[in-house]
């Protein structure tokens, strides 16, 4: 007899899921093994929260649907922070959540899993019966992949154990909408009248670099990204880098002086616009394939409902040629732009700018940088270059700390051809440290950089003059802890201590390298004041 659990795993493999993650309990034992038997790569995490974050990062980095499998009840609640991050980020993540049987009304594991999913912005779906199982899976997978939604597919235990019913129906594919010609004409009119246009590309523009660069060249636009699309325009002489809290002073100046700003698949959050300051004097246009996203964060002059690449191609047919913002003076200023790196001072702690700049020089350019949340996070975002938009994995939609290590693991599995770099604060690293064993067990040659200021930096900098007993901790030898897990590791107090990086890079890279960087904490990072304006 073939069970529904076996059918679900086999069918998802046929549909093309890229990788599965999870923590196996009795409720998801059979469906997980079915996925594995059907050829879906599998990684066992040490905590369901880590598993969900790994799957989220894998999907973001690879562009494929990822799966996380969970035990009923507590397995889902343990994973909820990672599921929330994925849902808020519109990640195509399929959560296979075992569920108590309908008759098990007194089960310790019984919770309203539909309500949990809905409360965090995920789409609740269900395998209703043996007869409908295949159709239920195809429907859930289609929503996940084609609409870029995080879907929680509940798998009741009694249905999982039932014999297979009907075969799978044909799968239909949802296509992103083609823009309305009148909207494209209005976009072209605004670009034709612009003297200083700027394009800000977000997550929805990933994969549309060629179309946006061609339109930007025609209209004379400068190019910027939201943080989550960092790397999209790497190598372009007209790239401003990240728009928002992580902007360079020059980028912020040029964006704020724009007369037309077009957001391409970018939601224009307070982070990307610095609470509206960067766009307040511009005519604001937003292009998105989801109607409810248009104007949701900032008032806009024009909203264009359509796929980013298709809209850019259509606009290219009707927009005129203009020099726009691309003057020789602006080009020279962009060429001369360099990160601010102070001179190194001999001390017991290293400046995070000095550390980050040194690592940027030492590490191979083909890298994937994953960044946790915290006071430190602007340093790797601004100083560690990435080759393209797949090179930066930024789990910040829920602003939870503790996701960075698991994010790095998921990204590493998605792009084994690149060096994975996980940047964490000490607070977030310790929160997710159980997954250090996962990284070692999987033999991942990744670099883990802990910006260690012995506390929760965002809080003790924000509440200057307050009682910091709750947010400052004694110094910990994180390198010794990591070595106990099986990592190569070192404490870093100066750039001289980074010699281990070259040694590790020259070796087999069959285990992680952890750098416990004892960073200075005498002031807040430059983006912190901007961040706390939204609190």
């Amino acid at each position: 007899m073939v069970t529904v659990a076996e059918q679900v795993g086999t069918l998802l493999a046929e549909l093309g899921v890229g990788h599965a993650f999870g923590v196996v309990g009795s409720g998801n034992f059979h469906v997980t093994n079915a996925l594995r038997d059907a050829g879906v790569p599998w990684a066992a995490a040490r905590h369901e929260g880590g598993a969900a974050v790994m799957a989220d990062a894998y999907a973001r980095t690879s562009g494929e649907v990822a799966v996380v499998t969970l035990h009923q009840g507590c397995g889902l609640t343990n994973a909820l922070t990672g599921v929330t991050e994925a849902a808020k980020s519109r990640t195509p993540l399929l959560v296979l959540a075992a569920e108590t049987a309908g008759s098990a009304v007194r089960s310790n594991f019984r919770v309203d899993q539909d309500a949990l999913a809905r409360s965090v912005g995920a789409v609740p779906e269900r395998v209703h019966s043996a007869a409908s199982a295949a159709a239920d899976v195809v429907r859930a997978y289609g929503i996940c992949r084609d609409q870029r939604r995080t879907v929680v597919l509940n798998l009741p235990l009694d249905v999982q154990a039932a014999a297979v019913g009907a075969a799978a129906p044909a799968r239909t594919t949802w296509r992103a909408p083609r823009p309305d010609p009148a909207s494209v004409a209005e976009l072209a009119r605004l670009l034709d009248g612009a003297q200083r246009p700027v394009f800000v590309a977000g997550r929805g523009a990933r994969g549309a670099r060629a179309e946006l660069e061609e339109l930007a060249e025609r209209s004379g636009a400068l190019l910027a990204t939201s943080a989550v699309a960092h790397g999209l325009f790497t190598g372009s002489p007209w790239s401003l880098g990240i728009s928002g809290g992580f902007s360079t002073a020059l980028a912020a100046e040029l964006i704020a002086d724009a007369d037309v700003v077009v957001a391409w698949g970018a939601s224009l959050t307070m982070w990307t616009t610095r609470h509206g300051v960067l766009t307040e004097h511009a005519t604001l246009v937003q292009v998105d394939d989801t109607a409810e996203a248009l104007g949701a964060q900032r008032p806009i002059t024009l909203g264009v409902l359509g796929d980013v690449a298709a809209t850019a191609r259509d606009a290219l047919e009707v927009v005129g040629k203009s020099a726009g913002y691309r003057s020789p003076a602006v080009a020279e200023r962009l060429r001369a732009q360099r990160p601010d790196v102070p001179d190194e001072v001999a001390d017991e702690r290293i400046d995070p700018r000095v550390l980050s700049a040194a690592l940027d020089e030492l590490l191979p350019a083909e890298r994937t940088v994953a960044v946790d949340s915290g006071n430190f996070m602007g340093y790797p975002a601004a100083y560690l270059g990435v080759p393209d938009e797949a090179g930066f994995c930024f789990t910040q939609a829920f602003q939870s700390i503790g996701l960075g290590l698991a994010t790095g693991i998921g990204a590493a599995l998605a792009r084994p051809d690149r060096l994975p770099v996980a940047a964490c604060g000490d607070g977030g690293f310790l929160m997710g440290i159980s997954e250090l064993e996962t990284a070692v067990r999987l033999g991942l040659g990744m670099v883990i950089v802990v910006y260690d200021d012995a506390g929760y930096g965002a809080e003790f900098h924000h509440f200057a003059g307050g009682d910091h007993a709750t947010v400052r901790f004694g110094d910990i030898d994180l390198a010794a802890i990591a070595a106990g897990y099986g990592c190569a590791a070192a404490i870093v107090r100066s750039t001289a201590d980074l010699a281990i990086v070259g040694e590790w890079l020259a070796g087999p890279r069959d285990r992680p390298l952890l750098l416990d960087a004892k960073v200075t904490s005498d002031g807040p990072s430059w983006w912190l004041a901007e961040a706390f304006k939204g609190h």
Side-chain angles (χ1 to χ4, degrees):
M1 179 186 80
V2 177
T3 66
V4 168
E6 292 166 339
Q7 182 188 37
V8 169
T10 302
L11 180 53
L12 286 174
E14 293 172 357
L15 289 169
V17 298
H19 209 292
F21 301 81
V23 176
V24 171
S26 59
N28 62 330
F29 181 85
H30 295 298
V31 72
T32 301
N33 279 336
L35 285 163
R36 294 174 62 242
D37 290 344
V40 176
W42 160 259
R46 285 300 188 175
H47 189 278
E48 289 91 347
V53 173
M54 290 175 202
D56 177 17
Y58 183 94
R60 294 184 196 219
T61 305
S62 69
E64 300 175 334
V65 172
V67 169
V68 59
T69 80
L70 305 170
H71 183 70
Q72 62 270 27
C74 53
L76 179 58
T77 57
N78 275 348
L80 211 54
T81 295
V83 173
T84 305
E85 169 64 35
K88 287 179 175 288
S89 298
R90 293 291 295 268
T91 299
L93 172 62
L94 184 60
V95 182
L96 299 183
E99 187 179 43
T100 55
S103 60
V105 294
R106 299 298 179 190
S107 170
N108 290 349
F109 296 123
R110 191 174 186 86
V111 293
D112 189 341
Q113 297 191 177
D114 279 1
L116 284 174
R118 195 175 292 110
S119 71
V120 302
V123 178
E125 287 287 343
R126 178 177 306 282
V127 173
H128 293 279
S129 67
S132 68
D136 295 335
V137 170
V138 170
R139 180 183 65 253
Y141 179 82
I143 294 170
C144 182
R145 176 175 178 170
D146 297 332
Q147 299 182 34
R148 301 192 317 278
R149 299 297 300 274
T150 295
V151 176
V152 176
L153 180 61
N154 291 304
L155 303 173
L157 296 181
D158 51 346
V159 178
Q160 283 195 55
V164 165
R171 177 179 169 270
T172 57
T173 299
W174 178 86
R175 301 292 183 188
R178 186 78 178 267
D180 170 62
S183 297
V184 174
E186 179 62 11
L187 169 60
R189 186 189 69 79
L190 291 172
L191 288 175
D192 285 343
Q195 294 181 316
R196 297 178 303 282
V198 170
F199 289 177
V200 178
R203 182 182 290 108
R206 288 166 63 113
R209 172 172 179 163
E211 292 85 352
L212 291 177
E213 284 193 324
E214 190 172 0
L215 181 62
E217 183 179 0
R218 176 75 62 84
S219 59
L222 303 182
L223 299 163
T225 70
S226 66
V228 292
H230 179 42
L232 181 62
F233 300 120
T234 293
S236 169
W238 300 106
S239 173
L240 301 173
I242 299 173
S243 172
F246 297 153
S247 291
T248 64
L250 177 59
E253 174 196 330
L254 293 173
I255 295 169
D257 198 37
D259 55 0
V260 173
V261 173
V262 185
W264 299 90
S267 53
L268 294 173
T269 64
M270 61 183 181
W271 314 110
T272 304
T273 66
R274 291 194 178 180
H275 303 274
V277 171
L278 294 183
T279 58
E280 61 184 342
H281 300 303
T283 297
L284 194 54
V285 180
Q286 190 176 7
V287 180
D288 206 285
D289 65 10
T290 304
E292 54 265 33
L294 297 173
Q297 301 279 355
R298 307 297 311 164
I300 57 176
T301 298
L302 173 65
V304 182
L305 180 63
D307 173 73
V308 165
T311 301
R313 285 194 297 268
D314 287 357
L316 194 62
E317 297 296 320
V318 290
V319 76
K321 176 70 174 175
S322 171
Y325 220 154
R326 298 188 171 192
S327 68
V330 169
E332 180 54 36
R333 294 185 72 191
L334 289 173
R335 276 195 299 271
Q337 184 174 229
R338 295 289 185 273
D340 175 28
V341 183
D343 293 333
E344 185 171 7
V345 177
D347 198 356
E348 285 299 298
R349 309 191 81 85
I350 186 170
D351 187 295
R353 295 166 295 179
V354 172
L355 168 72
S356 304
L359 287 172
D360 188 54
E361 290 292 326
L362 286 168
L363 298 175
E366 286 297 312
R367 64 182 73 145
T368 304
V369 177
V371 182
D372 205 340
S373 188
N375 177 63
F376 77 94
M377 68 185 188
Y379 301 113
Y383 289 83
L384 297 182
V386 293
D388 54 31
E389 70 272 30
F392 194 67
C393 197
F394 195 54
T395 45
Q396 289 297 318
F398 198 32
Q399 287 184 257
S400 171
I401 72 169
L403 310 187
L405 178 57
T407 298
I409 293 171
L413 293 170
R415 290 301 302 263
D417 57 318
R418 291 182 172 178
L419 175 71
V421 182
C424 308
D426 54 300
F429 173 73
L430 287 167
M431 192 176 288
I433 197 171
S434 61
E435 302 308 344
L436 195 57
E437 187 279 334
T438 303
V440 172
R441 171 168 33 88
L442 295 176
L444 296 180
M446 63 187 299
V447 176
I448 304 163
V449 186
V450 183
Y451 290 74
D452 185 357
D453 60 4
Y456 296 135
E459 281 65 39
F460 64 67
H461 287 309
H462 180 62
F463 297 105
D467 182 353
H468 294 160
T470 58
V471 293
R472 283 191 181 271
F473 306 94
D475 209 0
I476 300 171
D477 188 344
L478 297 178
I481 296 173
Y485 275 94
C487 296
I491 290 176
V492 176
R493 300 185 185 277
S494 70
T495 53
D497 296 326
L498 294 175
I500 191 175
V501 175
E503 297 166 6
W504 180 85
L505 287 171
R509 302 191 204 178
D510 55 359
R511 58 177 177 157
L513 167 65
L514 182 130
L515 303 174
D516 179 9
K518 306 299 186 181
V519 296
T520 55
S521 59
D522 54 353
S525 55
W526 72 93
W527 61 271
L528 190 62
E530 286 293 331
F532 274 105
K533 287 179 182 177
H535 286 205

